[in-house]
Amino acid sequence: RKEVEQDPGPFNVPEGATVAFNCTYSNSASQSFFWYRQDCRKEPKLLMSVYSSGNEDGRFTAQLNRASQYISLLIRDSKLSDSATYLCVVTEYGNKLVFGAGTILRVKS
Amino acid sequence: EAQVTQNPRYLITVTGKKLTVTCSQNMNHEYMSWYRQDPGLGLRQIYYSMNVEVTDKGDVPEGYKVSRKEKRNFPLILESPSPNQTSLYFCASSFTGAGETQYFGPGTRLLVL
């Protein structure tokens, strides 16, 4: 079983749609959680951190459920520019980082 | 400009020929790490370093070496490259550890024949 699992997609959605991605992690001791965005094999960039209380940044909302060990990302009012691969990332003891394989989003006009 | 740089960006080499991929950051970050990215597997951590002279293995360290003699530099060394090390490599840094924003370099595409 992979340590961090994501639905690879692709998710094909029209502009303006709301789309949600989930991610599950296997290590209950994981401490920090993030969503990164990666465009076409370029370097990943932080989209947002994920907290148990949930957090929102404009059209993006992230949630963490420690009991069920899953993380979610909700994108509202999708734009063409949101097309990318979204990477779920968790940290583990010893300052290790574990990445999911990514979920591909394609927003179409 | 605050950045992480990697060199070379593209490299074609042959099996067994030692190579080094350099990584440098100008943000005075303590934490630096190397990843490889392969289709369907995502990014996998090779090595990381908490500070000068402190390095630790990630999930896939076999076949790689690193050193951290200076805070700003974290080179990745392949002593005897093999075709299964053909991949896209990223270096990243952050202020103090894995629990913070990671700043990635532009990536190095390596092909081992």
Side-chain angles (χ1 to χ4, degrees):
Chain A
R1 184 187 170 189
K2 291 183 181 176
E3 293 176 76
V4 177
E5 294 206 56
Q6 297 182 246
D7 182 341
F11 285 65
N12 295 301
V13 303
E15 277 186 290
T18 295
V19 62
F21 307 140
N22 288 328
C23 163
T24 57
Y25 60 96
S26 61
N27 189 340
S28 60
S30 295
Q31 297 173 336
S32 301
F33 309 89
F34 308 91
W35 284 102
Y36 278 74
R37 170 192 169 129
Q38 185 176 28
D39 292 294
C40 201
R41 303 286 273 178
K42 293 191 174 180
E43 72 271 24
K45 293 183 180 177
L46 179 70
L47 180 66
M48 57 199 306
S49 302
V50 189
Y51 306 111
S52 297
S53 55
N55 48 305
E56 188 174 309
D57 182 2
R59 298 181 292 108
F60 299 84
T61 301
Q63 294 274 359
L64 166 64
N65 185 318
R66 283 189 184 270
S68 301
Q69 294 180 212
Y70 85 80
I71 306 154
S72 65
L73 177 67
L74 182 76
I75 305 175
R76 291 180 297 278
D77 189 23
S78 298
K79 312 289 185 193
L80 293 174
S81 57
D82 293 335
S83 297
T85 298
Y86 290 84
L87 306 173
C88 177
V89 186
V90 307
T91 64
E92 297 190 348
Y93 55 85
N95 264 292
K96 289 176 63 176
L97 273 163
V98 183
F99 284 71
T103 297
I104 297 170
L105 173 64
R106 297 181 186 143
V107 182
K108 314 260 182 181
S109 60
Chain B
E1 180 190 355
Q3 59 183 352
V4 178
T5 56
Q6 293 179 228
N7 281 293
R9 294 289 313 280
Y10 304 91
L11 179 60
I12 301 174
T13 190
V14 295
T15 299
K17 186 176 181 182
K18 181 180 178 180
L19 67 91
T20 299
V21 184
T22 64
C23 173
S24 183
Q25 49 90 7
N26 62 1
M27 296 172 278
N28 202 34
H29 285 172
E30 293 183 351
Y31 184 86
M32 297 186 74
S33 53
W34 275 103
Y35 305 83
R36 60 178 290 173
Q37 186 172 31
D38 303 290
L41 296 177
L43 277 85
R44 292 178 292 168
Q45 195 172 45
I46 303 171
Y47 271 95
Y48 63 95
S49 170
M50 295 296 295
N51 213 324
V52 175
E53 302 293 1
V54 180
T55 62
D56 281 292
K57 295 177 181 179
D59 286 328
V60 289
E62 295 78 19
Y64 305 94
K65 287 175 59 176
V66 292
S67 68
R68 188 92 183 270
K69 293 185 171 61
E70 305 167 283
K71 197 171 188 177
R72 63 183 292 128
N73 296 322
F74 191 45
L76 180 70
I77 303 154
L78 284 71
E79 295 267 0
S80 183
S82 62
N84 64 13
Q85 292 179 297
T86 292
S87 189
L88 175 59
Y89 291 86
F90 288 104
C91 178
S93 71
S94 70
F95 280 106
T96 59
E100 301 168 352
T101 302
Q102 303 298 310
Y103 296 88
F104 285 83
T108 295
R109 291 186 184 274
L110 173 64
L111 173 62
V112 183
L113 300 173

